[in-house]
Amino acid sequence: MRKVGRNDLCPCGSGEKYKKCHLISEDIHDESYMDSAVKTYRHFNKDKRIRQCLYPDHTSCTSKIIRAHSIQNSKIVQRISENGNVYMNRAKPNNPFAVFTKWGRKEATTFTGFCDYHDKVLFQPIEDKNFEMSEEQVLLHTYRCLTANIHDKQENVKFGESVTNTFALPRDSDVGLLSLGNSLAVDDFLHEKTILDKALINRDFDVVDSIVWEFDFPIQFAGSAFEAPTRDLKNRKIQDLETNDIIAHLFITIFPEDNKSYCIISWIKALGGIFNELIGQIKGLNAQERKNYLNSTLVKNSDNLVFSPKLIETMSKNEVQNFGFISQGAYLFDAFFESVDKDFFTETSRIEVSDPGYDLFKTY
């Protein structure tokens, strides 16, 4: 019997090419577990890519979808880089379990979520101007963070569906449930995106509230994150992700500029009532507590962070381990908080304001 070629139709009758269907599952039996896991991850990671423009008015879109930077490349990422490289807490397919991975600055923080026209024109006020804390600039930073995360979640949904279908996994498997969670997160984001879309088209920038922190030194990292907080900084419940019809998010963007650094914590004004207590607590943090909060919250909620090589390469082994725990294991604590008696942890300080065992705000 003739051997099935990579580009032949798969014998299973799916209509897909063999290389995109059963070849990858059959390869598992011929390789070591780790080698096959890495190869499988790389295959699905490549296949999940989505190319789209997330700007609501497509009449002025160009046909070219680009790898847009969610953090300004020439102003910020280039500044942090050394010899054209940065570190990210986002793994690459060849080592999916790494705490830190080296990336070229031109590929770091990119996503295929805008056409070249809208990426250039829409974000011009934050690309070409210094940060002046204007309503427009805050909204654009919020919008870029939101759209980057929508795009990421959509690709993760595609990733999960591909894995589930290829290996005939049940929908209630870990992969299937993760894909469902990403799909629900996209739905939650789209409600907020509709509000920001309308604001951009009407140039009504007063739909976002924010806290802006200014640091009097340039930090050695930058990035953006989102959080759907379920508890405030004293562990009191503020929203339920399972029962609330509308989920509210905090969006965080942090970056160095000139001899200073800025952190923007923003949220949709119409949903801000959910965060009243939490926002008051965040505003009341002292200088060290602000750093602790960002050290923990950014790392726990985002893999879209870029770091200077000097910052990462001078970390101790314990600091890297602590970073890895916050990045990959802190959700165990959140799950624990949600499972115990609701009054047990009332008035207890959250992990976000404690020293996480590493400091991203080091200066050199």
Side-chain angles (χ1 to χ4, degrees):
M1 182 176 179
R2 185 179 72 87
K3 183 178 179 180
V4 180
R6 291 174 54 83
N7 291 310
D8 292 341
L9 291 178
C10 186
C12 76
S14 66
E16 293 283 345
K17 289 184 178 180
Y18 180 52
K19 66 181 181 182
K20 291 189 175 182
C21 195
H22 275 80
L23 172 63
I24 204 161
S25 58
E26 291 177 6
D27 280 347
I28 288 177
H29 302 293
D30 301 324
E31 303 174 73
S32 71
Y33 176 78
M34 185 56 68
D35 287 344
S36 66
V38 169
K39 183 176 181 180
T40 301
Y41 179 84
R42 292 177 68 179
H43 168 83
F44 289 115
N45 194 64
K46 181 179 179 181
D47 197 49
K48 74 178 184 180
R49 298 302 177 199
I50 297 172
R51 302 179 67 83
Q52 62 182 334
C53 183
L54 287 164
Y55 187 72
D57 182 2
H58 291 171
T59 57
S60 54
C61 275
T62 57
S63 59
K64 183 180 180 182
I65 301 298
I66 65 169
R67 296 188 67 86
H69 284 267
S70 58
I71 300 297
Q72 294 103 306
N73 182 28
S74 58
K75 285 180 62 177
I76 298 174
V77 182
Q78 182 178 16
R79 172 179 180 158
I80 293 172
S81 68
E82 295 177 15
N83 298 318
N85 295 308
V86 294
Y87 279 95
M88 294 189 72
N89 57 329
R90 174 180 296 178
K92 288 187 175 181
N94 62 339
N95 189 5
F97 308 110
V99 176
F100 296 110
T101 303
K102 186 173 285 189
W103 291 72
R105 71 169 182 87
K106 292 184 178 180
E107 61 175 341
T109 81
T110 58
F111 67 111
T112 50
F114 286 101
C115 69
D116 57 351
Y117 174 79
H118 284 118
D119 180 62
K120 180 179 180 179
V121 174
L122 177 61
F123 297 108
Q124 204 162 19
I126 58 177
E127 291 283 354
D128 297 345
K129 297 180 180 179
N130 284 342
F131 183 56
E132 300 169 342
M133 305 186 194
S134 70
E135 289 181 343
E136 181 181 18
Q137 288 179 320
V138 169
L139 186 143
L140 288 173
H141 278 291
T142 304
Y143 192 72
R144 180 175 262 174
C145 179
L146 170 65
T147 51
N149 281 289
I150 287 177
H151 188 84
D152 182 61
K153 296 295 183 185
Q154 288 174 329
E155 290 192 335
N156 286 339
V157 170
K158 187 176 179 182
F159 180 98
E161 290 176 345
S162 296
V163 173
T164 299
N165 293 334
T166 298
F167 296 105
L169 300 177
R171 293 294 171 180
D172 60 353
S173 67
D174 289 344
V175 174
L177 293 176
L178 184 60
S179 181
L180 175 62
N182 281 311
S183 180
L184 294 173
V186 171
D187 292 340
D188 294 335
F189 278 136
L190 290 177
H191 173 76
E192 291 170 311
K193 182 176 182 294
T194 299
I195 295 173
L196 296 186
D197 285 343
K198 184 177 179 181
L200 287 170
I201 291 173
N202 295 332
R203 297 192 60 77
D204 175 17
F205 305 125
D206 189 30
V207 300
V208 171
D209 261 340
S210 66
I211 299 169
V212 178
W213 288 337
E214 181 180 308
F215 300 91
D216 61 0
F217 59 93
I219 57 176
Q220 298 294 309
F221 72 101
S224 63
F226 80 92
E227 181 182 23
T230 58
R231 293 179 179 271
D232 65 16
L233 297 184
K234 294 184 177 180
N235 270 308
R236 294 177 296 207
K237 193 86 170 183
I238 56 176
Q239 65 177 337
D240 192 319
L241 303 186
E242 294 184 1
T243 61
N244 283 29
D245 292 332
I246 297 176
I247 304 300
H249 297 91
L250 291 179
F251 301 94
I252 306 176
T253 301
I254 189 166
F255 54 91
E257 184 174 277
D258 295 333
N259 294 319
K260 298 182 178 181
S261 302
Y262 298 94
C263 176
I264 307 165
I265 304 173
S266 58
W267 60 95
I268 304 298
K269 186 177 290 188
L271 305 177
I274 295 173
F275 297 138
N276 281 343
E277 291 294 326
L278 176 60
I279 295 303
Q281 293 162 0
I282 293 174
K283 288 180 176 179
L285 297 178
N286 63 37
Q288 185 57 53
E289 288 172 335
R290 291 180 180 184
K291 293 177 183 179
N292 290 346
Y293 173 79
L294 293 173
N295 272 318
S296 297
T297 302
L298 286 168
V299 173
K300 186 176 77 170
N301 291 291
S302 178
D303 63 358
N304 192 44
L305 305 174
V306 291
F307 310 94
S308 73
K310 181 183 293 185
L311 177 63
I312 301 307
E313 291 169 3
T314 57
M315 274 189 172
S316 69
K317 183 177 179 181
N318 283 340
E319 287 176 319
V320 173
Q321 289 176 339
N322 290 333
F323 185 103
F325 171 75
I326 296 295
S327 176
Q328 302 167 5
Y331 283 102
L332 294 175
F333 276 96
D334 286 345
F336 176 66
F337 285 136
E338 295 303 317
S339 65
V340 298
D341 184 88
K342 65 180 181 180
D343 296 322
F344 187 77
F345 284 99
T346 299
E347 302 299 323
T348 301
S349 295
R350 294 278 287 170
I351 190 173
E352 284 87 345
V353 293
S354 303
D355 182 355
Y358 56 87
D359 183 13
L360 300 179
F361 291 85
K362 288 181 180 177
T363 56
Y364 297 92

